[in-house]
């Protein structure tokens, strides 16, 4: 019995044979994965070449030395006109105007295909659904699914790790504030997220290490939590109980090519971040000019990662149409540490992730 099925079987145990409880647990898990599928994708256990690329690295490899491919606004792959239209009845409760779907889409493939193709870092934007009852995924005011809750999608990651125990996943959680007319990052919402992240399942699958990144060996089969949120409406003990690295949104400079955040003051551990998502080009600049500014900012930050302190964390957001230019840069960066890099439409061009993973 897999780890996650074992947890579910225990929770659903009846005074009958273990085989019956195992069947019930499998059915319960499948129900969860089906609900998660609009974001996670339809679960299939397979092992293509890049699904277990971390096997090539020894257990004593520091995580900050690895090159980790990720996706920016990861949950947006299924947001098209049909999705927007099907959700209109529920999203009208948010009392906001949602622009055309193309405005919000940054990916083309579901989470399970991202994982199987080597992606290990996910940018997740959450808030309350329009009924203020469950946490779901958004990009701005665009509700990405009503059925795929944060909790359900996490079970997809848990199952994938059971099937690929050599791997480590980085999940960045950020509250999306512009979802509804009266949206609020209030105590109820924060408590909802906290309860998800300290559940029995989460405590098993999230690495229970705080304010530092260790070696790959201890992180295999686990999730590293990157907390781009505050629990400032709750007692400080709630924040203390969460694992992972904390990047307070109050300290994350908006639209900046060069952010420095200390995530462990005792050890003076710093993350250097590039999140320059809207290049400040002169008024009237063309899309080509905007992309050039974005590429230059991303390239500068990756060069800084390649030459910077090897114990520092480097995190870059290579969004904004720079993928093709990045391929040639990556080909000239063999043997360099570039850190976590978040891509838009990561499978375009097809050689991008292959090149990144063979640095």
């Amino acid at each position: 019995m897999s780890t996650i099925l074992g947890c579910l079987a225990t929770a659903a145990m009846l005074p009958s044979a273990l085989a019956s409880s195992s069947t019930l647990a499998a059915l319960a898990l499948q129900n969860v994965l089906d609900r998660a599928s609009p974001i996670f994708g339809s679960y299939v256990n397979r092992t293509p070449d890049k699904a277990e690329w971390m096997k090539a690295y020894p257990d004593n490899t520091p995580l900050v030395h690895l090159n980790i491919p990720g996706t920016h606004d990861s949950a947006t792959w299924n947001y098209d006109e049909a999705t927007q239209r099907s959700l209109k009845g529920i999203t009208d409760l948010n009392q906001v105007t949602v622009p055309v779907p193309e405005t919000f889409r940054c990916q083309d493939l579901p989470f399970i295909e991202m994982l199987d193709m080597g992606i290990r870092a996910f940018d997740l934007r959450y808030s309350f659904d329009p009924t203020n009852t469950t946490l779901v995924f958004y990009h701005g005011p665009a509700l990405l699914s009503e059925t795929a809750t944060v909790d359900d999608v996490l079970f997809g990651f848990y199952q994938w790790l059971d099937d690929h125990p050599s791997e480590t996943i980085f999940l960045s959680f950020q509250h999306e504030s512009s979802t509804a007319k009266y949206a609020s990052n209030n105590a109820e919402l924060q408590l909802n997220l906290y309860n998800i992240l300290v559940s029995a399942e989460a405590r098993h699958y999230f690495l229970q290490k705080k304010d530092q990144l260790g070696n790959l060996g201890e992180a295999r089969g686990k999730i590293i939590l990157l907390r781009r949120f505050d629990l400032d409406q709750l007692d400080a003990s709630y924040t203390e109980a969460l694992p992972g690295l904390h990047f307070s949104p109050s300290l994350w400079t908006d639209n900046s090519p060069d952010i420095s955040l200390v995530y462990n003051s005792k050890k003076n551990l710093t993350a250097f971040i590039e999140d320059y998502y809207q290049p400040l080009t002169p008024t009237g600049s063309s899309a080509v000019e905007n992309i050039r500014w974005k590429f230059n900012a991303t390239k500068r930050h990756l060069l800084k990662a390649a030459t910077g302190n090897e114990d520092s964390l480097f995190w870059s957001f290579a969004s904004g149409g720079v993928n093709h230019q990045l391929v040639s840069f990556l080909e000239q960066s063999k043997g360099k540490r570039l850190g976590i890099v978040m891509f838009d439409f990561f499978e375009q061009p097809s050689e991008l992730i292959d090149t990144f993973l063979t640095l």
Side-chain angles (χ1 to χ4, degrees), residues 32 35-36 39-40 75 111 124-129 133-138 143 145-158 171-176 189 192-197 199 202 206 223 225 229:
V32 171
R35 291 198 304 266
I39 299 295
F40 197 84
F111 286 6
L124 306 177
R125 316 291 178 95
Y126 67 89
S127 192
F128 264 145
D129 79 324
T133 55
T134 57
L135 291 185
V136 292
F137 298 97
Y138 283 87
L143 173 67
S145 171
E146 175 67 6
T147 64
T149 67
V150 169
D151 205 16
D152 289 342
V153 169
L154 282 177
F155 272 81
F157 286 112
Y158 301 159
L171 296 186
S172 167
F173 278 90
Q174 178 184 359
H175 175 248
E176 194 71 279
L189 186 150
N192 196 306
L193 178 65
Y194 171 83
N195 287 335
I196 291 171
L197 295 176
S199 67
F206 280 86
I223 296 169
L225 179 61
F229 61 85

Side-chain angles (χ1 to χ4, degrees), residues 6-35:
C7 292
L8 288 169
T10 301
M13 186 67 73
L14 299 172
S16 57
L18 179 60
S20 296
S21 65
S22 179
T23 299
L24 180 59
L27 291 172
L29 175 60
Q30 188 59 54
N31 188 38
V32 171
L33 296 178
D34 287 345
R35 291 198 304 266

Side-chain angles (χ1 to χ4, degrees), residues 102-129:
E102 292 77 14
T103 307
F104 303 102
R105 191 160 178 169
C106 301
Q107 305 299 332
D108 283 329
L109 297 174
F111 286 6
I112 188 165
E113 292 194 44
M114 293 182 186
L115 288 162
D116 287 347
M117 294 173 71
I119 297 300
R120 293 294 175 269
F122 294 77
D123 172 25
L124 306 177
R125 316 291 178 95
Y126 67 89
S127 192
F128 264 145
D129 79 324

Side-chain angles (χ1 to χ4, degrees), residues 50 68-74 76-77 106-122 318-324 326-327 330 341-357:
K50 292 191 285 292
I68 304 292
T71 49
H72 162 245
D73 268 307
S74 306
T76 59
W77 72 277
C106 301
Q107 305 299 332
D108 283 329
L109 297 174
F111 286 6
I112 188 165
E113 292 194 44
M114 293 182 186
L115 288 162
D116 287 347
M117 294 173 71
I119 297 300
R120 293 294 175 269
F122 294 77
S319 52
V322 303
N323 287 7
H324 285 80
L326 273 177
V327 171
L330 293 174
V341 182
M342 316 295 273
F343 299 99
D344 281 357
F345 304 109
F346 72 97
E347 77 286 5
Q348 306 170 25
S350 59
E351 64 268 28
L352 177 64
I353 298 302
D354 283 339
T355 305
F356 186 82
L357 288 177

Side-chain angles (χ1 to χ4, degrees), residues 25-317:
L27 291 172
L29 175 60
Q30 188 59 54
N31 188 38
V32 171
L33 296 178
D34 287 345
R35 291 198 304 266
S37 62
I39 299 295
F40 197 84
S42 298
Y43 197 92
V44 179
N45 181 12
R46 54 200 169 202
T47 310
D49 290 344
K50 292 191 285 292
E52 295 182 340
W53 63 263
M54 288 181 169
K55 277 185 174 179
Y57 293 88
D59 283 351
N60 63 357
T61 305
L63 290 172
V64 292
H65 291 182
L66 289 174
N67 291 320
I68 304 292
T71 49
H72 162 245
D73 268 307
S74 306
T76 59
W77 72 277
N78 200 26
Y79 193 72
D80 56 17
E81 187 175 345
T83 304
Q84 189 180 76
R85 187 169 56 249
S86 70
L87 292 172
K88 188 175 186 306
I90 186 75
T91 55
D92 281 349
L93 296 175
N94 281 338
Q95 301 180 55
V96 293
T97 301
V98 184
V100 296
E102 292 77 14
T103 307
F104 303 102
R105 191 160 178 169
C106 301
Q107 305 299 332
D108 283 329
L109 297 174
F111 286 6
I112 188 165
E113 292 194 44
M114 293 182 186
L115 288 162
D116 287 347
M117 294 173 71
I119 297 300
R120 293 294 175 269
F122 294 77
D123 172 25
L124 306 177
R125 316 291 178 95
Y126 67 89
S127 192
F128 264 145
D129 79 324
T131 67
N132 289 325
T133 55
T134 57
L135 291 185
V136 292
F137 298 97
Y138 283 87
H139 183 188
L143 173 67
L144 304 178
S145 171
E146 175 67 6
T147 64
T149 67
V150 169
D151 205 16
D152 289 342
V153 169
L154 282 177
F155 272 81
F157 286 112
Y158 301 159
Q159 181 61 56
W160 193 88
L161 285 171
D162 275 354
D163 293 332
H164 304 87
S166 61
E167 306 304 290
T168 298
I169 297 170
F170 293 74
L171 296 186
S172 167
F173 278 90
Q174 178 184 359
H175 175 248
E176 194 71 279
S177 60
S178 57
T179 58
K181 184 176 181 179
Y182 300 107
S184 173
N185 188 13
N186 55 28
E188 182 182 5
L189 186 150
Q190 293 183 10
L191 183 60
N192 196 306
L193 178 65
Y194 171 83
N195 287 335
I196 291 171
L197 295 176
V198 298
S199 67
E201 296 81 11
R203 286 187 181 278
H204 177 81
Y205 286 96
F206 280 86
L207 183 65
Q208 299 300 301
K209 196 178 186 75
K210 192 176 181 66
D211 300 333
Q212 57 185 316
L213 292 173
N215 294 337
L216 177 58
E218 64 184 330
R220 293 193 195 275
K222 301 291 185 180
I223 296 169
I224 308 295
L225 179 61
L226 305 176
R227 295 187 281 125
R228 289 186 62 186
F229 61 85
D230 293 331
L231 298 181
D232 55 347
Q233 301 302 304
L234 305 177
D235 185 82
S237 60
Y238 288 84
T239 295
E240 289 301 314
L242 290 180
L245 310 186
H246 184 208
F247 305 101
S248 174
S250 65
L251 301 176
W252 188 293
T253 309
D254 186 54
N255 195 36
S256 173
D258 193 11
I259 305 168
S260 298
L261 286 179
V262 175
Y263 60 87
N264 186 322
S265 56
K266 291 183 180 178
K267 296 187 176 182
N268 195 31
L269 299 177
T270 303
F272 297 96
I273 303 158
E274 177 268 315
D275 189 17
Y276 193 46
Y277 60 86
Q278 189 173 11
L280 301 175
T281 53
T283 302
S285 296
S286 66
V288 172
E289 182 71 1
N290 289 336
I291 290 173
R292 184 174 70 83
W293 278 44
K294 170 60 180 176
F295 174 70
N296 288 340
T298 302
K299 180 180 177 180
R300 280 194 299 271
H301 198 258
L302 293 176
L303 287 171
K304 182 177 179 180
T307 59
N309 187 323
E310 64 177 12
D311 293 326
S312 295
L313 174 64
F314 285 85
W315 190 0
S316 305
F317 286 77

